[in-house]
Amino acid sequence: MEQKVEVMQSIYDKNDSIAKETNEDLTRRGIFAVNVMGAPGTGKTSCIRNIIKQLPGAHYVVEGDIESDIDTENLRKIGITAVQINTHGACHLDAPVLKDSLKKLQFEKEGTLFIENIGNLVCPAEFTIGEHIKMLVVTVTDGSDKPYKYPLAFEKADIILLNKADLIPYVDFDEEFFMRGVHALNPKVNVFKVSAKAGSGFEEVTKWLIEKKKNFSV
Amino acid sequence: MEQKVEVMQSIYDKNDSIAKETNEDLTRRGIFAVNVMGAPGTGKTSCIRNIIKQLPGAHYVVEGDIESDIDTENLRKIGITAVQINTHGACHLDAPVLKDSLKKLQFEKEGTLFIENIGNLVCPAEFTIGEHIKMLVVTVTDGSDKPYKYPLAFEKADIILLNKADLIPYVDFDEEFFMRGVHALNPKVNVFKVSAKAGSGFEEVTKWLIEKKKNFSV
């Protein structure tokens, strides 16, 4: 067990130093990097697509998936520069994997890089990969108890999108209980109710991102 | 990296030998064990509750969660014998953790043990914990591309519950595409459409479980 802990610690240390390099490199190039996390099927790609429609500057996407390139192909079809990472089993992106994938992007213009992590509400939150902020996508259909059961992702998030708001009339979502859980873990985090399907709620998200980007580029 | 692979291999080997012991022990006691897997918020606990209402014999539940005992408390309130495992970060249950938790259960009567794994569509599928079968709970709200993106859980499942069927009218769920993906990975698996909220579809699931239990006790 001790051997396992030592090996894990050296993996985390190596990860963090590569993440720091990536972050500095992206900052120098004027690229604001958003690590998009969330459970499977919460609509991470659809949220990214909705934000890109409104956010000024160039847009780049790295799509993390265990297998398949469905989302990358769909993004490319609508003209978005996207690169695929397939982890073939690994349950999260780490800094070395991201660094490697970024070699495929030219970043000719300043703008925003969305890194869509593996669909998993647990492991991705443990790894910094080079991002400036972490965006968590959760849904009303997954229930209001998620912050209580999966605290780390909520604790680490800089912004939370509560997606599939169009389905609120058909599910038992206790918003007050949800928000109490979120704010107990992360008192200052901004939570935006959106519907990627209806395309609603993204003006506020975009406004928030523009503000964050300003601070980053100073 | 080689050191990591070696350590991982020894963890898997140890896990598998403890899983085998647990499986033999449960079989001897006449306990049929179901490893219930699925992403966060797919309704694993609600499905277990619906099945227990109809399934003959005694029922026992082990609830795996990173944090909180919300589900265990709710099960106990309706008279179900339930034990909580909190992994405090770990993204799946493993055989040693399950073995330890089973010390708290007496198994006075023959019956079924439901082991609700951590809400995660990736890591739990990699670990056998002592179960007789694996039940995967997925939902129509999470989208029809899940088998393509998270193949291992679909490949390993003995039975799949497609939950939240009551929401089909309000979401874009392509059932044909979903089923094609499932059957490419796991040609013989049974898929049952259910709604834990409406309590519908569980007669067929229960019938299937009763058949499986017969073979197990022979």
PDB file of all heavy atoms in Angstrom, chain B residues 152-183:
ATOM      1  N   LEU B 152     -16.665  -0.166 -21.946  1.00  0.00           N
ATOM      2  CA  LEU B 152     -16.378  -1.269 -21.020  1.00  0.00           C
ATOM      3  C   LEU B 152     -17.578  -1.647 -20.147  1.00  0.00           C
ATOM      4  O   LEU B 152     -17.889  -2.835 -19.984  1.00  0.00           O
ATOM      5  CB  LEU B 152     -15.161  -0.943 -20.139  1.00  0.00           C
ATOM      6  CG  LEU B 152     -14.627  -2.148 -19.348  1.00  0.00           C
ATOM      7  CD1 LEU B 152     -14.047  -3.214 -20.259  1.00  0.00           C
ATOM      8  CD2 LEU B 152     -13.583  -1.715 -18.315  1.00  0.00           C
ATOM      9  N   ALA B 153     -18.259  -0.659 -19.591  1.00  0.00           N
ATOM     10  CA  ALA B 153     -19.401  -0.940 -18.712  1.00  0.00           C
ATOM     11  C   ALA B 153     -20.498  -1.695 -19.481  1.00  0.00           C
ATOM     12  O   ALA B 153     -21.126  -2.607 -18.936  1.00  0.00           O
ATOM     13  CB  ALA B 153     -19.955   0.360 -18.136  1.00  0.00           C
ATOM     14  N   PHE B 154     -20.703  -1.331 -20.734  1.00  0.00           N
ATOM     15  CA  PHE B 154     -21.725  -2.004 -21.545  1.00  0.00           C
ATOM     16  C   PHE B 154     -21.299  -3.421 -21.899  1.00  0.00           C
ATOM     17  O   PHE B 154     -22.113  -4.327 -21.977  1.00  0.00           O
ATOM     18  CB  PHE B 154     -22.012  -1.183 -22.806  1.00  0.00           C
ATOM     19  CG  PHE B 154     -22.776   0.081 -22.539  1.00  0.00           C
ATOM     20  CD1 PHE B 154     -22.119   1.256 -22.208  1.00  0.00           C
ATOM     21  CD2 PHE B 154     -24.164   0.096 -22.585  1.00  0.00           C
ATOM     22  CE1 PHE B 154     -22.824   2.421 -21.930  1.00  0.00           C
ATOM     23  CE2 PHE B 154     -24.882   1.256 -22.316  1.00  0.00           C
ATOM     24  CZ  PHE B 154     -24.204   2.424 -21.987  1.00  0.00           C
ATOM     25  N   GLU B 155     -20.001  -3.571 -22.115  1.00  0.00           N
ATOM     26  CA  GLU B 155     -19.446  -4.880 -22.476  1.00  0.00           C
ATOM     27  C   GLU B 155     -19.560  -5.862 -21.312  1.00  0.00           C
ATOM     28  O   GLU B 155     -19.819  -7.048 -21.509  1.00  0.00           O
ATOM     29  CB  GLU B 155     -17.967  -4.641 -22.788  1.00  0.00           C
ATOM     30  CG  GLU B 155     -17.364  -5.527 -23.828  1.00  0.00           C
ATOM     31  CD  GLU B 155     -15.910  -5.111 -24.018  1.00  0.00           C
ATOM     32  OE1 GLU B 155     -15.670  -3.969 -24.465  1.00  0.00           O
ATOM     33  OE2 GLU B 155     -15.026  -5.924 -23.698  1.00  0.00           O
ATOM     34  N   LYS B 156     -19.370  -5.372 -20.103  1.00  0.00           N
ATOM     35  CA  LYS B 156     -19.319  -6.243 -18.926  1.00  0.00           C
ATOM     36  C   LYS B 156     -20.705  -6.528 -18.333  1.00  0.00           C
ATOM     37  O   LYS B 156     -20.851  -7.406 -17.495  1.00  0.00           O
ATOM     38  CB  LYS B 156     -18.463  -5.577 -17.838  1.00  0.00           C
ATOM     39  CG  LYS B 156     -17.015  -5.373 -18.241  1.00  0.00           C
ATOM     40  CD  LYS B 156     -16.148  -6.476 -17.690  1.00  0.00           C
ATOM     41  CE  LYS B 156     -14.692  -6.256 -18.048  1.00  0.00           C
ATOM     42  NZ  LYS B 156     -13.823  -7.221 -17.428  1.00  0.00           N
ATOM     43  N   ALA B 157     -21.706  -5.751 -18.702  1.00  0.00           N
ATOM     44  CA  ALA B 157     -23.026  -5.871 -18.065  1.00  0.00           C
ATOM     45  C   ALA B 157     -23.715  -7.187 -18.416  1.00  0.00           C
ATOM     46  O   ALA B 157     -23.645  -7.652 -19.549  1.00  0.00           O
ATOM     47  CB  ALA B 157     -23.906  -4.699 -18.482  1.00  0.00           C
ATOM     48  N   ASP B 158     -24.381  -7.791 -17.416  1.00  0.00           N
ATOM     49  CA  ASP B 158     -25.228  -8.950 -17.669  1.00  0.00           C
ATOM     50  C   ASP B 158     -26.655  -8.516 -17.959  1.00  0.00           C
ATOM     51  O   ASP B 158     -27.412  -9.223 -18.608  1.00  0.00           O
ATOM     52  CB  ASP B 158     -25.213  -9.879 -16.445  1.00  0.00           C
ATOM     53  CG  ASP B 158     -23.832 -10.439 -16.186  1.00  0.00           C
ATOM     54  OD1 ASP B 158     -23.394 -11.282 -16.994  1.00  0.00           O
ATOM     55  OD2 ASP B 158     -23.171 -10.003 -15.219  1.00  0.00           O
ATOM     56  N   ILE B 159     -27.039  -7.367 -17.457  1.00  0.00           N
ATOM     57  CA  ILE B 159     -28.378  -6.818 -17.683  1.00  0.00           C
ATOM     58  C   ILE B 159     -28.256  -5.300 -17.672  1.00  0.00           C
ATOM     59  O   ILE B 159     -27.466  -4.737 -16.898  1.00  0.00           O
ATOM     60  CB  ILE B 159     -29.372  -7.324 -16.599  1.00  0.00           C
ATOM     61  CG1 ILE B 159     -30.733  -6.625 -16.729  1.00  0.00           C
ATOM     62  CG2 ILE B 159     -28.827  -7.161 -15.183  1.00  0.00           C
ATOM     63  CD1 ILE B 159     -31.812  -7.199 -15.807  1.00  0.00           C
ATOM     64  N   ILE B 160     -29.000  -4.661 -18.560  1.00  0.00           N
ATOM     65  CA  ILE B 160     -28.970  -3.198 -18.645  1.00  0.00           C
ATOM     66  C   ILE B 160     -30.369  -2.646 -18.421  1.00  0.00           C
ATOM     67  O   ILE B 160     -31.321  -3.094 -19.073  1.00  0.00           O
ATOM     68  CB  ILE B 160     -28.426  -2.724 -20.020  1.00  0.00           C
ATOM     69  CG1 ILE B 160     -26.973  -3.191 -20.208  1.00  0.00           C
ATOM     70  CG2 ILE B 160     -28.523  -1.207 -20.157  1.00  0.00           C
ATOM     71  CD1 ILE B 160     -26.382  -2.894 -21.577  1.00  0.00           C
ATOM     72  N   LEU B 161     -30.510  -1.708 -17.478  1.00  0.00           N
ATOM     73  CA  LEU B 161     -31.776  -0.999 -17.304  1.00  0.00           C
ATOM     74  C   LEU B 161     -31.649   0.373 -17.964  1.00  0.00           C
ATOM     75  O   LEU B 161     -30.747   1.136 -17.631  1.00  0.00           O
ATOM     76  CB  LEU B 161     -32.141  -0.819 -15.829  1.00  0.00           C
ATOM     77  CG  LEU B 161     -32.135  -2.044 -14.915  1.00  0.00           C
ATOM     78  CD1 LEU B 161     -32.885  -1.748 -13.623  1.00  0.00           C
ATOM     79  CD2 LEU B 161     -32.728  -3.253 -15.592  1.00  0.00           C
ATOM     80  N   LEU B 162     -32.561   0.649 -18.893  1.00  0.00           N
ATOM     81  CA  LEU B 162     -32.605   1.968 -19.540  1.00  0.00           C
ATOM     82  C   LEU B 162     -33.684   2.760 -18.807  1.00  0.00           C
ATOM     83  O   LEU B 162     -34.872   2.602 -19.073  1.00  0.00           O
ATOM     84  CB  LEU B 162     -32.914   1.793 -21.032  1.00  0.00           C
ATOM     85  CG  LEU B 162     -33.020   3.063 -21.868  1.00  0.00           C
ATOM     86  CD1 LEU B 162     -31.762   3.907 -21.777  1.00  0.00           C
ATOM     87  CD2 LEU B 162     -33.330   2.721 -23.332  1.00  0.00           C
ATOM     88  N   ASN B 163     -33.224   3.571 -17.859  1.00  0.00           N
ATOM     89  CA  ASN B 163     -34.128   4.237 -16.910  1.00  0.00           C
ATOM     90  C   ASN B 163     -34.606   5.605 -17.429  1.00  0.00           C
ATOM     91  O   ASN B 163     -34.108   6.104 -18.419  1.00  0.00           O
ATOM     92  CB  ASN B 163     -33.395   4.385 -15.556  1.00  0.00           C
ATOM     93  CG  ASN B 163     -34.318   4.793 -14.425  1.00  0.00           C
ATOM     94  OD1 ASN B 163     -35.549   4.632 -14.496  1.00  0.00           O
ATOM     95  ND2 ASN B 163     -33.743   5.330 -13.357  1.00  0.00           N
ATOM     96  N   LYS B 164     -35.556   6.177 -16.693  1.00  0.00           N
ATOM     97  CA  LYS B 164     -36.162   7.490 -17.004  1.00  0.00           C
ATOM     98  C   LYS B 164     -36.910   7.456 -18.335  1.00  0.00           C
ATOM     99  O   LYS B 164     -36.967   8.471 -19.055  1.00  0.00           O
ATOM    100  CB  LYS B 164     -35.108   8.611 -16.971  1.00  0.00           C
ATOM    101  CG  LYS B 164     -34.287   8.602 -15.668  1.00  0.00           C
ATOM    102  CD  LYS B 164     -33.514   9.856 -15.399  1.00  0.00           C
ATOM    103  CE  LYS B 164     -32.627   9.668 -14.161  1.00  0.00           C
ATOM    104  NZ  LYS B 164     -31.792  10.824 -13.839  1.00  0.00           N
ATOM    105  N   ALA B 165     -37.482   6.283 -18.648  1.00  0.00           N
ATOM    106  CA  ALA B 165     -38.228   6.133 -19.909  1.00  0.00           C
ATOM    107  C   ALA B 165     -39.420   7.081 -19.960  1.00  0.00           C
ATOM    108  O   ALA B 165     -39.890   7.426 -21.054  1.00  0.00           O
ATOM    109  CB  ALA B 165     -38.687   4.687 -20.062  1.00  0.00           C
ATOM    110  N   ASP B 166     -39.897   7.542 -18.784  1.00  0.00           N
ATOM    111  CA  ASP B 166     -41.005   8.516 -18.771  1.00  0.00           C
ATOM    112  C   ASP B 166     -40.617   9.844 -19.414  1.00  0.00           C
ATOM    113  O   ASP B 166     -41.489  10.633 -19.784  1.00  0.00           O
ATOM    114  CB  ASP B 166     -41.484   8.754 -17.318  1.00  0.00           C
ATOM    115  CG  ASP B 166     -40.344   9.183 -16.391  1.00  0.00           C
ATOM    116  OD1 ASP B 166     -39.423   8.371 -16.161  1.00  0.00           O
ATOM    117  OD2 ASP B 166     -40.354  10.340 -15.923  1.00  0.00           O
ATOM    118  N   LEU B 167     -39.304  10.099 -19.567  1.00  0.00           N
ATOM    119  CA  LEU B 167     -38.863  11.379 -20.156  1.00  0.00           C
ATOM    120  C   LEU B 167     -38.612  11.292 -21.665  1.00  0.00           C
ATOM    121  O   LEU B 167     -38.231  12.286 -22.286  1.00  0.00           O
ATOM    122  CB  LEU B 167     -37.606  11.885 -19.424  1.00  0.00           C
ATOM    123  CG  LEU B 167     -37.797  12.270 -17.949  1.00  0.00           C
ATOM    124  CD1 LEU B 167     -36.468  12.640 -17.307  1.00  0.00           C
ATOM    125  CD2 LEU B 167     -38.785  13.439 -17.808  1.00  0.00           C
ATOM    126  N   ILE B 168     -38.826  10.110 -22.247  1.00  0.00           N
ATOM    127  CA  ILE B 168     -38.579   9.939 -23.698  1.00  0.00           C
ATOM    128  C   ILE B 168     -39.259  11.028 -24.551  1.00  0.00           C
ATOM    129  O   ILE B 168     -38.630  11.573 -25.467  1.00  0.00           O
ATOM    130  CB  ILE B 168     -38.969   8.520 -24.180  1.00  0.00           C
ATOM    131  CG1 ILE B 168     -37.933   7.513 -23.647  1.00  0.00           C
ATOM    132  CG2 ILE B 168     -39.043   8.427 -25.711  1.00  0.00           C
ATOM    133  CD1 ILE B 168     -38.205   6.054 -24.009  1.00  0.00           C
ATOM    134  N   PRO B 169     -40.512  11.406 -24.245  1.00  0.00           N
ATOM    135  CA  PRO B 169     -41.144  12.435 -25.094  1.00  0.00           C
ATOM    136  C   PRO B 169     -40.420  13.780 -25.091  1.00  0.00           C
ATOM    137  O   PRO B 169     -40.631  14.594 -25.990  1.00  0.00           O
ATOM    138  CB  PRO B 169     -42.543  12.598 -24.476  1.00  0.00           C
ATOM    139  CG  PRO B 169     -42.774  11.381 -23.649  1.00  0.00           C
ATOM    140  CD  PRO B 169     -41.434  10.904 -23.212  1.00  0.00           C
ATOM    141  N   TYR B 170     -39.596  14.036 -24.075  1.00  0.00           N
ATOM    142  CA  TYR B 170     -39.001  15.374 -23.935  1.00  0.00           C
ATOM    143  C   TYR B 170     -37.522  15.441 -24.290  1.00  0.00           C
ATOM    144  O   TYR B 170     -36.891  16.485 -24.161  1.00  0.00           O
ATOM    145  CB  TYR B 170     -39.196  15.877 -22.494  1.00  0.00           C
ATOM    146  CG  TYR B 170     -40.589  15.654 -21.984  1.00  0.00           C
ATOM    147  CD1 TYR B 170     -40.858  14.716 -20.992  1.00  0.00           C
ATOM    148  CD2 TYR B 170     -41.665  16.358 -22.535  1.00  0.00           C
ATOM    149  CE1 TYR B 170     -42.152  14.489 -20.544  1.00  0.00           C
ATOM    150  CE2 TYR B 170     -42.955  16.132 -22.093  1.00  0.00           C
ATOM    151  CZ  TYR B 170     -43.193  15.199 -21.097  1.00  0.00           C
ATOM    152  OH  TYR B 170     -44.469  14.973 -20.663  1.00  0.00           O
ATOM    153  N   VAL B 171     -36.931  14.307 -24.684  1.00  0.00           N
ATOM    154  CA  VAL B 171     -35.495  14.310 -25.009  1.00  0.00           C
ATOM    155  C   VAL B 171     -35.279  13.698 -26.397  1.00  0.00           C
ATOM    156  O   VAL B 171     -36.163  13.034 -26.928  1.00  0.00           O
ATOM    157  CB  VAL B 171     -34.667  13.513 -23.955  1.00  0.00           C
ATOM    158  CG1 VAL B 171     -34.728  14.188 -22.598  1.00  0.00           C
ATOM    159  CG2 VAL B 171     -35.131  12.069 -23.844  1.00  0.00           C
ATOM    160  N   ASP B 172     -34.104  13.941 -26.977  1.00  0.00           N
ATOM    161  CA  ASP B 172     -33.780  13.352 -28.281  1.00  0.00           C
ATOM    162  C   ASP B 172     -33.008  12.066 -28.050  1.00  0.00           C
ATOM    163  O   ASP B 172     -31.783  12.068 -28.084  1.00  0.00           O
ATOM    164  CB  ASP B 172     -32.892  14.314 -29.090  1.00  0.00           C
ATOM    165  CG  ASP B 172     -33.543  15.671 -29.263  1.00  0.00           C
ATOM    166  OD1 ASP B 172     -34.764  15.709 -29.511  1.00  0.00           O
ATOM    167  OD2 ASP B 172     -32.835  16.695 -29.151  1.00  0.00           O
ATOM    168  N   PHE B 173     -33.726  10.987 -27.790  1.00  0.00           N
ATOM    169  CA  PHE B 173     -33.045   9.717 -27.558  1.00  0.00           C
ATOM    170  C   PHE B 173     -33.247   8.819 -28.778  1.00  0.00           C
ATOM    171  O   PHE B 173     -34.381   8.465 -29.108  1.00  0.00           O
ATOM    172  CB  PHE B 173     -33.585   9.037 -26.295  1.00  0.00           C
ATOM    173  CG  PHE B 173     -32.826   7.778 -25.947  1.00  0.00           C
ATOM    174  CD1 PHE B 173     -31.565   7.852 -25.391  1.00  0.00           C
ATOM    175  CD2 PHE B 173     -33.373   6.528 -26.206  1.00  0.00           C
ATOM    176  CE1 PHE B 173     -30.849   6.702 -25.086  1.00  0.00           C
ATOM    177  CE2 PHE B 173     -32.665   5.369 -25.901  1.00  0.00           C
ATOM    178  CZ  PHE B 173     -31.406   5.456 -25.334  1.00  0.00           C
ATOM    179  N   ASP B 174     -32.155   8.448 -29.436  1.00  0.00           N
ATOM    180  CA  ASP B 174     -32.215   7.614 -30.636  1.00  0.00           C
ATOM    181  C   ASP B 174     -32.024   6.149 -30.198  1.00  0.00           C
ATOM    182  O   ASP B 174     -30.903   5.666 -30.082  1.00  0.00           O
ATOM    183  CB  ASP B 174     -31.117   8.068 -31.597  1.00  0.00           C
ATOM    184  CG  ASP B 174     -31.151   7.308 -32.916  1.00  0.00           C
ATOM    185  OD1 ASP B 174     -31.755   6.208 -32.975  1.00  0.00           O
ATOM    186  OD2 ASP B 174     -30.556   7.808 -33.884  1.00  0.00           O
ATOM    187  N   GLU B 175     -33.137   5.490 -29.970  1.00  0.00           N
ATOM    188  CA  GLU B 175     -33.089   4.139 -29.397  1.00  0.00           C
ATOM    189  C   GLU B 175     -32.392   3.139 -30.323  1.00  0.00           C
ATOM    190  O   GLU B 175     -31.657   2.264 -29.866  1.00  0.00           O
ATOM    191  CB  GLU B 175     -34.513   3.665 -29.077  1.00  0.00           C
ATOM    192  CG  GLU B 175     -34.505   2.409 -28.229  1.00  0.00           C
ATOM    193  CD  GLU B 175     -35.894   2.024 -27.725  1.00  0.00           C
ATOM    194  OE1 GLU B 175     -36.780   2.900 -27.639  1.00  0.00           O
ATOM    195  OE2 GLU B 175     -36.088   0.825 -27.436  1.00  0.00           O
ATOM    196  N   GLU B 176     -32.603   3.290 -31.607  1.00  0.00           N
ATOM    197  CA  GLU B 176     -32.012   2.358 -32.569  1.00  0.00           C
ATOM    198  C   GLU B 176     -30.470   2.476 -32.525  1.00  0.00           C
ATOM    199  O   GLU B 176     -29.758   1.470 -32.497  1.00  0.00           O
ATOM    200  CB  GLU B 176     -32.571   2.677 -33.967  1.00  0.00           C
ATOM    201  CG  GLU B 176     -32.409   1.563 -34.981  1.00  0.00           C
ATOM    202  CD  GLU B 176     -31.059   1.631 -35.647  1.00  0.00           C
ATOM    203  OE1 GLU B 176     -30.582   2.766 -35.874  1.00  0.00           O
ATOM    204  OE2 GLU B 176     -30.449   0.574 -35.920  1.00  0.00           O
ATOM    205  N   PHE B 177     -29.973   3.711 -32.500  1.00  0.00           N
ATOM    206  CA  PHE B 177     -28.532   3.971 -32.434  1.00  0.00           C
ATOM    207  C   PHE B 177     -27.941   3.435 -31.121  1.00  0.00           C
ATOM    208  O   PHE B 177     -26.881   2.792 -31.104  1.00  0.00           O
ATOM    209  CB  PHE B 177     -28.309   5.485 -32.556  1.00  0.00           C
ATOM    210  CG  PHE B 177     -26.870   5.931 -32.516  1.00  0.00           C
ATOM    211  CD1 PHE B 177     -25.986   5.571 -33.528  1.00  0.00           C
ATOM    212  CD2 PHE B 177     -26.398   6.739 -31.481  1.00  0.00           C
ATOM    213  CE1 PHE B 177     -24.658   6.000 -33.492  1.00  0.00           C
ATOM    214  CE2 PHE B 177     -25.083   7.174 -31.444  1.00  0.00           C
ATOM    215  CZ  PHE B 177     -24.215   6.793 -32.449  1.00  0.00           C
ATOM    216  N   PHE B 178     -28.673   3.658 -30.042  1.00  0.00           N
ATOM    217  CA  PHE B 178     -28.254   3.155 -28.727  1.00  0.00           C
ATOM    218  C   PHE B 178     -28.146   1.635 -28.739  1.00  0.00           C
ATOM    219  O   PHE B 178     -27.122   1.062 -28.368  1.00  0.00           O
ATOM    220  CB  PHE B 178     -29.273   3.615 -27.666  1.00  0.00           C
ATOM    221  CG  PHE B 178     -29.050   3.011 -26.302  1.00  0.00           C
ATOM    222  CD1 PHE B 178     -28.080   3.530 -25.444  1.00  0.00           C
ATOM    223  CD2 PHE B 178     -29.810   1.938 -25.864  1.00  0.00           C
ATOM    224  CE1 PHE B 178     -27.886   2.981 -24.183  1.00  0.00           C
ATOM    225  CE2 PHE B 178     -29.623   1.381 -24.602  1.00  0.00           C
ATOM    226  CZ  PHE B 178     -28.654   1.907 -23.761  1.00  0.00           C
ATOM    227  N   MET B 179     -29.209   0.955 -29.198  1.00  0.00           N
ATOM    228  CA  MET B 179     -29.248  -0.506 -29.168  1.00  0.00           C
ATOM    229  C   MET B 179     -28.181  -1.105 -30.084  1.00  0.00           C
ATOM    230  O   MET B 179     -27.607  -2.148 -29.777  1.00  0.00           O
ATOM    231  CB  MET B 179     -30.635  -1.013 -29.572  1.00  0.00           C
ATOM    232  CG  MET B 179     -31.719  -0.717 -28.541  1.00  0.00           C
ATOM    233  SD  MET B 179     -31.371  -1.407 -26.890  1.00  0.00           S
ATOM    234  CE  MET B 179     -31.518  -3.145 -27.235  1.00  0.00           C
ATOM    235  N   ARG B 180     -27.926  -0.443 -31.209  1.00  0.00           N
ATOM    236  CA  ARG B 180     -26.885  -0.916 -32.114  1.00  0.00           C
ATOM    237  C   ARG B 180     -25.522  -0.901 -31.410  1.00  0.00           C
ATOM    238  O   ARG B 180     -24.738  -1.840 -31.505  1.00  0.00           O
ATOM    239  CB  ARG B 180     -26.856  -0.048 -33.377  1.00  0.00           C
ATOM    240  CG  ARG B 180     -26.432  -0.838 -34.599  1.00  0.00           C
ATOM    241  CD  ARG B 180     -26.345  -0.021 -35.878  1.00  0.00           C
ATOM    242  NE  ARG B 180     -27.244   1.101 -35.926  1.00  0.00           N
ATOM    243  CZ  ARG B 180     -26.884   2.321 -36.341  1.00  0.00           C
ATOM    244  NH1 ARG B 180     -25.646   2.560 -36.729  1.00  0.00           N
ATOM    245  NH2 ARG B 180     -27.774   3.302 -36.385  1.00  0.00           N
ATOM    246  N   GLY B 181     -25.270   0.177 -30.677  1.00  0.00           N
ATOM    247  CA  GLY B 181     -24.017   0.295 -29.923  1.00  0.00           C
ATOM    248  C   GLY B 181     -23.918  -0.766 -28.832  1.00  0.00           C
ATOM    249  O   GLY B 181     -22.879  -1.408 -28.663  1.00  0.00           O
ATOM    250  N   VAL B 182     -25.003  -0.962 -28.108  1.00  0.00           N
ATOM    251  CA  VAL B 182     -25.019  -1.957 -27.029  1.00  0.00           C
ATOM    252  C   VAL B 182     -24.742  -3.344 -27.592  1.00  0.00           C
ATOM    253  O   VAL B 182     -23.877  -4.084 -27.097  1.00  0.00           O
ATOM    254  CB  VAL B 182     -26.386  -1.956 -26.299  1.00  0.00           C
ATOM    255  CG1 VAL B 182     -26.495  -3.154 -25.359  1.00  0.00           C
ATOM    256  CG2 VAL B 182     -26.589  -0.658 -25.534  1.00  0.00           C
ATOM    257  N   HIS B 183     -25.449  -3.716 -28.642  1.00  0.00           N
ATOM    258  CA  HIS B 183     -25.333  -5.083 -29.156  1.00  0.00           C
ATOM    259  C   HIS B 183     -24.029  -5.351 -29.902  1.00  0.00           C
ATOM    260  O   HIS B 183     -23.583  -6.492 -29.991  1.00  0.00           O
ATOM    261  CB  HIS B 183     -26.563  -5.445 -29.984  1.00  0.00           C
ATOM    262  CG  HIS B 183     -27.753  -5.704 -29.096  1.00  0.00           C
ATOM    263  ND1 HIS B 183     -29.021  -5.250 -29.387  1.00  0.00           N
ATOM    264  CD2 HIS B 183     -27.847  -6.344 -27.899  1.00  0.00           C
ATOM    265  CE1 HIS B 183     -29.843  -5.613 -28.401  1.00  0.00           C
ATOM    266  NE2 HIS B 183     -29.153  -6.276 -27.487  1.00  0.00           N
TER     267      HIS B 183
END
